[in-house]
Amino acid sequence: MFKGFSRLSKDEKRQILIREGLISENELTELIKAEHSQVEFRKRLEGFSENVLSSYHLPFSVAPNFLINGSLFMVPMVTEESSVVAAAAAAAGFWAQHGGFHCVVKNTVKVGQVFFEWEGEPDQLHKVLSELTAVLNEAAKPITENMEKRGGGITGYSLVHHVAVSEACFELHVEFETADSMGANFINSCLEIMATEIPEFIGQHFPDQPEAEIIMAILSNHTPECTVECYVEAPFEALGKFDTNGDGKHFAVRFKKAVDIALNDTSRAVTHNKGIYNGISAVLLATGNDFRAVEAAGHAFAVKNGKYVSLSGVTLTDNSFRLSLEVPLAVGTVGGLTRLHPLAASALKMLKEPDAKTLMMVIAAAGLASNFSAVKALTTSGIQHGHMKMHLVNILNQMGATSEQVEEAQRFFKDKTVSVSAVRSFLTKNN
Ligand code: MEV
């Protein structure tokens, strides 16, 4: 465990990462280069997009002390929101002393969809499905061969008749394993090959019927099977420090009530889940993963029973508290930006080069840590206390404070409530 990590200087923090073997001297150079936006680094970023005017910087942080299934991680996070990293780190530090995060990857299956229109009988298609899939497997072989060597590939097919769209609307639903990659390019390439084969196959087998016409072929970001379960658990007395009267059970019961509200009220559930994604998306961004895809999947998962509800839940026994979470996480540690963005590569190094399953667990733990800190703050001191403390430097910078004034203000506000007007009056008095 690292005690007082946040109070160390930036250089001291970097040196700890080097000492722990989590980054190399070369990676440290990349971190420093990124900080100073050197030409070479910016050129690399410019290749990621179109019509680039500049590069848009966000802080690259680390939350220490994530104990996950018995292993300690320092978790890289990229976020603009002041209190997110501090909140995640505080929760991680607390839970590291109480058994840490317990995570299990349930499944890693990904899905692709080829939609087509065909005026024939659905039963006729069902009868030739296994023949069709053999043809498709063969056609996709040049792409799947490599993935199979890494333990992935096409794992299943089914035919869906979308009568609600039209009598002629079909989907070939394809399941994939993508090893340590998120697999978007692999899946889409396979699907596009299949899209050229399907009309040909149907034409050959049903020459008397109208031709099949492809509508589109694309992976689905809905990954309700590709999930991680994560929980933290402690006896009530461990939670006493969060209660004004030191009553851990009182804290736990209030915490559960807050989560139960999010399990019943959609307006609250959306904000509650946003707090979970504060942690999840920050790690996704740091590791070069597609946060829009994961967020879309998470929100669809939250509404799986017909009503949008909290992704986390609390169970209490006679003497213990358990906060748990299940989230879909289709992520990768190879491919995409994970290696192209130098800081994403450093982030993965800091996580000791995890495989995709380990990264899924780390991300889920970051989500649960964020959720714990948010609901803890909401049911105790309120959210603004911690948030405004972290936001202090932003307010000072906006008001044009000098570095001396920033230091003085940080000392002054240590035990006081931060507000825009309080900071303004502090600066007027300390000009
Ligand atoms: C703020 O970014 C996140 C929270 O609103 C989450 C929550 O309300 O649970 C504090």
Side-chain angles (χ1 to χ4, degrees):
M1 280 242 354
F2 295 97
K3 287 235 148 73
F5 188 80
S6 65
R7 288 190 291 279
L8 301 176
S9 70
K10 196 195 280 176
D11 201 46
E12 285 167 331
K13 287 177 185 136
R14 288 168 169 170
Q15 289 309 324
I16 286 186
L17 289 163
I18 293 202
R19 199 186 67 213
E20 293 293 311
L22 297 175
I23 55 169
S24 64
E25 290 288 348
N26 277 350
E27 272 137 3
L28 176 62
T29 312
E30 287 292 354
L31 294 183
I32 294 169
K33 256 198 217 169
E35 195 175 50
H36 298 298
S37 269
Q38 286 188 352
V39 175
E40 203 185 300
F41 184 83
R42 273 190 280 132
K43 275 226 172 82
R44 176 79 75 94
L45 299 195
E46 284 175 17
F48 297 164
S49 186
E50 188 72 23
N51 299 341
V52 173
L53 300 178
S54 181
S55 54
Y56 188 110
H57 294 227
L58 288 172
F60 179 89
S61 309
V62 66
N65 299 324
F66 268 84
L67 183 66
I68 301 170
N69 294 348
S71 299
L72 209 50
F73 290 89
M74 296 189 92
V75 176
M77 300 179 88
V78 171
T79 177
E80 86 300 345
E81 194 172 325
S82 315
S83 48
V84 165
V85 176
F94 171 75
W95 285 107
Q97 293 165 45
H98 299 283
F101 298 84
H102 307 272
C103 299
V104 179
V105 172
K106 281 180 77 179
N107 204 322
T108 51
V109 65
K110 320 272 185 334
V111 167
Q113 300 177 290
V114 184
F115 292 95
F116 59 98
E117 286 207 303
W118 185 56
E119 303 287 350
E121 269 297 304
D123 281 353
Q124 289 180 302
L125 264 190
H126 277 289
K127 279 190 192 131
V128 294
L129 184 61
S130 60
E131 212 181 313
L132 169 64
T133 57
V135 169
L136 299 181
N137 281 342
E138 194 55 36
K141 218 174 193 152
I143 299 174
T144 54
E145 249 168 9
N146 210 17
M147 182 58 86
E148 278 163 15
K149 282 187 202 137
R150 290 158 43 203
I154 299 167
T155 54
Y157 293 92
S158 52
L159 192 65
V160 187
H161 189 192
H162 286 282
V163 273
V165 182
S166 83
E167 277 297 326
C169 185
F170 292 92
E171 171 198 344
L172 184 72
H173 187 90
V174 191
E175 292 186 352
F176 297 87
E177 282 296 336
T178 57
D180 284 329
S181 67
M182 187 257 191
N185 283 333
F186 164 71
I187 294 174
N188 286 333
S189 300
C190 289
L191 295 174
E192 288 190 0
I193 290 177
M194 292 173 188
T196 60
E197 294 291 326
I198 292 170
E200 208 171 298
F201 177 92
I202 292 179
Q204 280 165 5
H205 283 72
F206 308 105
D208 301 337
Q209 308 265 14
E211 280 181 5
E213 188 181 327
I214 295 294
I215 301 167
M216 60 187 160
I218 184 74
L219 96 165
S220 171
N221 290 125
H222 187 39
T223 51
E225 310 293 319
C226 180
T227 65
V228 191
E229 282 177 342
C230 175
Y231 73 87
V232 286
E233 187 166 40
F236 292 147
E237 64 259 27
L239 302 166
K241 64 185 266 198
F242 302 127
D243 187 76
T244 30
N245 297 319
D247 181 349
K249 182 167 182 186
H250 180 246
F251 169 83
V253 169
R254 280 175 58 77
F255 193 110
K256 176 169 163 49
K257 201 143 280 168
V259 177
D260 286 349
I261 290 170
L263 280 163
N264 284 280
D265 177 70
T266 295
S267 294
R268 175 57 204 148
V270 172
T271 324
H272 180 96
N273 289 344
K274 187 271 183 186
I276 294 172
Y277 281 89
N278 274 345
I280 290 182
S281 296
V283 186
L284 291 168
L285 211 49
T287 55
N289 274 285
D290 183 343
F291 61 93
R292 287 90 54 212
V294 170
E295 287 176 5
H299 296 303
F301 195 70
V303 77
K304 65 180 188 297
N305 293 327
K307 178 174 165 149
Y308 186 100
V309 297
S310 163
L311 288 164
S312 65
V314 170
T315 41
L316 302 180
T317 65
D318 282 349
N319 59 6
S320 77
F321 164 93
R322 178 189 280 217
L323 174 65
S324 57
L325 170 73
E326 183 178 359
V327 267
L329 282 167
V331 299
T333 56
V334 296
L337 274 203
T338 59
R339 301 291 150 177
L340 272 178
H341 195 303
L343 292 192
S346 297
L348 290 165
K349 179 89 189 289
M350 281 180 206
L351 290 170
K352 306 176 196 161
E353 300 293 0
D355 57 15
K357 282 185 178 171
T358 307
L359 182 60
M360 288 168 79
M361 295 192 271
V362 169
I363 293 171
L368 197 62
S370 297
N371 185 228
F372 178 76
S373 277
V375 177
K376 173 178 83 61
L378 290 171
T379 53
T380 55
S381 57
I383 206 72
Q384 281 308 83
H385 176 71
H387 185 76
M388 290 306 279
K389 271 236 144 43
M390 298 304 299
H391 198 46
L392 172 63
V393 177
N394 297 337
I395 301 173
L396 287 161
N397 285 339
Q398 234 165 14
M399 291 181 182
T402 62
S403 44
E404 290 78 37
Q405 285 172 321
V406 170
E407 272 175 34
E408 262 174 59
Q410 282 176 314
R411 273 194 297 276
F412 177 80
F413 282 103
K414 218 172 182 89
D415 52 358
K416 293 180 188 64
T417 306
V418 176
S419 70
V420 172
S421 57
V423 175
R424 191 172 292 119
S425 108
F426 169 86
L427 284 179
T428 315
K429 283 185 199 136
N430 290 275
N431 222 337

